[in-house]
Amino acid sequence: MTDAPLRESLVKPNRPQVTNLDGLAAMVAEGETFGVGGHHFARLPIALLNAIAARGTKNLAYVSWAGGLPLEILLEAQAIASIDICFSSLDIFGLPPRFRAAAEAGTVPVNDWTALAMIQALRATEQNLPLMPFQRPAGSDMMERIPGAGTITDAPSGETVGVIPPLRLDTVILHAPRADETGNVAIVGARALDWPMVAAARKVLVTVEEIVPAGELARGDRHAVLTRNRITAIAKVEGGAWPTSCLPDYVTDYAALHAAFASDAPLSRSLALPASRFPADRRAAARIPAATASGVRFPVAINRGAAAASPDEAMAVRIAAELDNDSFASAGAVSPLANVAYRLAKATHAPDMIVATMSCGHLDIAPSPMTLSLIEPFDAETAAAHAGGDDTYSAYYQGGAVTHEIIAAAQVDRHARVNNIALRRKDGGSIRLPGQGGMADVANMHRDYVIYVTGHRKLSLVDTVDIASCGRAYVTDAERAAQGYRPGAVKLITNLCVFALDSESRELVVVETFAGVTRERIVEATGFPVVFAPDCEEIPPVSTETLEILRERIDPLGLRRLEFVGSRNRGGLLDEIVALDRDLVAFLAARTTPKGSAA
């Protein structure tokens, strides 16, 4: 990353420059520390990323909460010199191949951060401080991996806390639905880490769908505004986020993403906006109200009419049973099974629970159906509030207000420690995984630490993880009270059984088994000695009513299945789901008059 003085002014002029796409791209210089706004497949500045790649800009130090598609575009262009992230994934499409190849070969150095450490490092820059404190990710190996992280001891209490120096960015790029003529920029929906990244950047370059007269940002959809003195330059680029979304104008084009990832063609070509016209159905889908899907019997529903629950359904129902009316559940970055379970619980036995999606960017959503295209607009519409990751860490996570963030694990050991960073190969190399995101933080902060593994086998359930990317250090009631956290449970749910962490031995114990699963099968599939609780019992069958709600209302496309297939079979399943999603969107579009249209 670029050398910088301890403190410097990041104040910008009151009126941003208005330019074009090439003008913005030309402002990104070789060797800069470079960040990208947006979130998963939402509001990614794809057109600007392609323009930067086309210019041949090199040696960028990529620093963002997530890698994902932006990082893939820049790695393909050989523009990246180093990577600092919390995780990198292509969501339902799996691991990013260019990131994985670079990390495994060691051709590009990778630094893994916890989300809270990155937030606080950006805040240190924003608040003109030499460092910021943060709760240590105790129980994990992450403190040794975060660049510049250290500890200090509070003299009065004797408590040790983490500290992190400022994280300064040369350039941050964003896409937004609109700006006004004076340079204020409006964003709709989840904000990820856009706000602290903007505050920590020397230059902020923004593409927008439209530029409206001054004063008009106050009208229309719910939005948050970046004031004009935080923006360096703006360019109007219609469709500048395609094939990702830009609410309220258009939704993610999963068919286009699927085709691009399945193709051997360069991403810069596959992700170029069609010259002839913008895909009209993506704009139409953004105008479908969430109420259109309420109580609807969809034309397709996976496993409709099957008497027994499939393994993915049984796991979804069992995860949902962890939740009640007092739950506050945050959906992780790439956890469709957990997201389905949250919505199922809220639609059945826990109507008062709070569900937050897009990494807690959409707060208190309604349990709308899980679809590809409409998850984001439905959640943004029904959410009580929109937020950024920095907001929710401060308001909810750090104080222990969230009860659950039930997250998938690649490797788990007998102490319930998780490894989602890298697996060691027998030849001494490694298999790169997405990363821990915010798991190292929330393993202690959230009341209940619940993880799941969809394929219970010895390679996944091991005696000791290769890297402890997260784990719960504060287990007993007394330990948690001393940290200001509520007492809570630690559980591991697999496709065979449910483990609970014993507070005395601090080891996992089997407390429930799925129907028809023998103890012998569990022992044979587990890489550490298995202990069964004296009162271990079989999980009861799923009721017909619950199955119908799951299949008909919550997950008609069967997105949950994506966590139960290997990479070889994922392409065919994605073909099916993308096609079903198109049909479902067309079905809902035909049932409603678009918002803003005459009846």
Side-chain angles (χ1 to χ4, degrees):
M1 288 183 280
T2 306
D3 292 334
L6 179 62
R7 295 180 183 174
E8 62 178 306
S9 173
L10 299 180
V11 176
K12 302 169 185 67
N14 277 353
R15 187 175 286 264
Q17 177 183 348
V18 177
T19 183
N20 57 23
L21 186 62
D22 290 337
L24 288 185
M27 295 181 189
V28 180
E30 184 169 332
E32 287 191 337
T33 302
F34 180 81
V36 181
H39 191 65
H40 299 311
F41 294 140
R43 273 194 311 99
L44 299 181
I46 299 297
L48 182 50
L49 285 162
N50 282 338
I52 293 166
R55 287 185 61 86
T57 307
K58 303 296 182 186
N59 297 320
L60 297 175
Y62 185 95
V63 180
S64 288
W65 175 64
L69 182 53
L71 184 55
E72 289 293 282
I73 292 171
L74 296 173
L75 284 171
E76 179 183 77
Q78 299 182 339
I80 298 299
S82 63
I83 300 170
D84 284 67
I85 54 170
C86 300
F87 79 103
S88 187
S89 168
L90 292 178
D91 206 304
I92 64 168
F93 299 103
L95 288 168
R98 294 162 187 83
F99 165 70
R100 183 174 177 180
E104 291 178 3
T107 53
V108 180
V110 178
N111 292 315
D112 289 285
W113 291 64
T114 64
L116 182 56
M118 183 169 282
I119 290 168
Q120 293 296 82
L122 294 168
R123 282 174 168 166
T125 303
E126 177 182 22
Q127 298 176 30
N128 198 21
L129 292 170
L131 55 82
M132 284 287 277
F134 65 98
Q135 287 102 319
R136 292 179 302 135
S140 76
D141 296 333
M142 289 304 298
M143 279 297 290
E144 293 75 32
R145 304 181 74 89
I146 303 168
T151 59
I152 59 172
T153 301
D154 175 63
S157 67
E159 182 178 349
T160 300
V161 297
V163 289
I164 192 75
L167 178 55
R168 290 180 176 81
L169 308 175
D170 292 309
T171 298
V172 166
I173 65 171
L174 305 171
H175 185 78
R178 58 188 59 90
D180 69 19
E181 290 174 336
T182 68
N184 298 300
V185 172
I187 287 174
V188 174
R191 298 193 293 272
L193 297 190
D194 288 0
W195 261 229
M197 289 178 69
V198 164
R202 296 179 178 88
K203 292 178 290 185
V204 178
L205 311 179
V206 185
T207 53
V208 297
E209 295 293 320
E210 62 175 337
I211 297 177
V212 301
E216 286 201 6
L217 288 187
R219 305 171 187 171
D221 295 84
R222 292 185 295 172
H223 58 257
V225 174
L226 285 166
T227 55
R228 52 197 169 94
N229 62 326
R230 309 186 85 182
I231 312 299
T232 306
I234 297 171
K236 179 181 175 181
V237 183
E238 293 184 55
W242 183 89
T244 70
S245 68
C246 183
L247 298 183
D249 299 310
Y250 50 90
V251 300
T252 304
D253 194 334
Y254 280 93
L257 287 170
H258 184 34
F261 298 146
S263 171
D264 292 331
L267 288 174
S268 57
R269 186 190 311 161
S270 301
L271 302 179
L273 185 66
S276 57
R277 63 179 183 85
F278 187 93
D281 66 322
R282 302 296 88 191
R283 294 196 189 279
R287 297 191 294 270
I288 298 173
T292 306
S294 179
V296 173
R297 181 178 175 86
F298 294 109
V300 295
I302 301 304
N303 291 351
R304 174 179 281 161
S310 59
D312 51 277
E313 292 170 335
M315 275 195 76
V317 172
R318 179 58 190 83
I319 292 171
E322 291 293 308
L323 307 163
D324 58 30
N325 276 325
D326 289 326
S327 296
F328 181 155
S330 176
V334 188
S335 304
L337 180 65
N339 204 333
V340 167
Y342 295 166
R343 294 165 192 267
L344 178 63
K346 189 169 178 66
T348 54
H349 61 275
D352 290 341
M353 72 176 286
I354 293 174
V355 178
T357 59
M358 289 285 272
S359 296
C360 222
H362 295 150
L363 291 159
D364 199 9
I365 65 158
S368 302
M370 288 279 288
T371 72
L372 288 180
S373 298
L374 300 178
I375 292 174
E376 185 197 1
F378 282 1
D379 287 357
E381 177 189 341
T382 64
H386 298 161
D390 52 324
D391 302 329
T392 49
Y393 259 86
S394 296
Y396 303 113
Y397 284 19
Q398 291 174 261
V402 179
T403 63
H404 297 82
E405 188 162 340
I406 303 172
I407 312 173
Q411 188 184 58
V412 187
D413 69 17
R414 59 195 176 99
H415 298 292
R417 295 178 299 191
V418 169
N419 173 20
N420 274 356
I421 292 180
L423 302 174
R424 294 195 189 101
R425 293 200 308 248
K426 291 182 179 180
D427 63 4
S430 66
I431 300 172
R432 177 68 204 200
L433 302 172
Q436 57 77 51
M439 291 176 65
D441 303 314
V442 304
N444 288 304
M445 294 174 181
H446 293 353
R447 188 194 70 191
D448 294 334
Y449 174 43
V450 184
I451 49 185
Y452 66 91
V453 172
T454 58
H456 188 142
R457 55 187 183 274
K458 287 185 176 181
L459 290 175
S460 299
L461 276 68
V462 298
D463 190 69
T464 304
V465 290
D466 296 335
I467 301 168
S469 60
C470 77
R472 176 163 280 193
Y474 312 120
V475 176
T476 68
D477 292 357
E479 289 169 346
R480 294 189 60 72
Q483 298 296 320
Y485 299 135
R486 291 180 283 178
V490 178
K491 290 185 179 177
L492 165 64
I493 301 174
T494 79
N495 59 316
L496 300 184
C497 63
V498 178
F499 293 88
L501 191 70
D502 181 84
S503 60
E504 293 185 6
S505 69
R506 296 180 183 256
E507 295 189 0
L508 290 169
V509 175
V510 179
V511 294
E512 299 173 60
T513 62
F514 279 100
V517 177
T518 65
R519 295 191 174 196
E520 291 76 17
R521 182 180 173 190
I522 294 169
V523 170
E524 291 173 0
T526 307
F528 54 82
V530 179
V531 176
F532 292 88
D535 57 349
C536 179
E537 56 186 13
E538 187 171 278
I539 298 168
V542 181
S543 71
T544 302
E545 180 184 7
T546 299
L547 274 180
E548 183 176 351
I549 293 171
L550 172 60
R551 294 167 178 171
E552 300 283 350
R553 288 178 48 191
I554 301 301
D555 190 19
L557 305 185
L559 289 178
R560 60 192 180 271
R561 297 176 295 163
L562 288 167
E563 295 197 60
F564 291 80
V565 297
S567 57
R568 291 183 179 179
N569 298 320
R570 181 176 288 266
L573 181 55
L574 282 168
D575 288 341
E576 175 191 341
I577 289 175
V578 167
L580 291 174
D581 179 69
R582 286 278 189 174
D583 292 343
L584 188 146
V585 171
F587 168 75
L588 292 176
R591 298 185 73 254
T592 184
T593 300
K595 290 182 289 185
S597 299

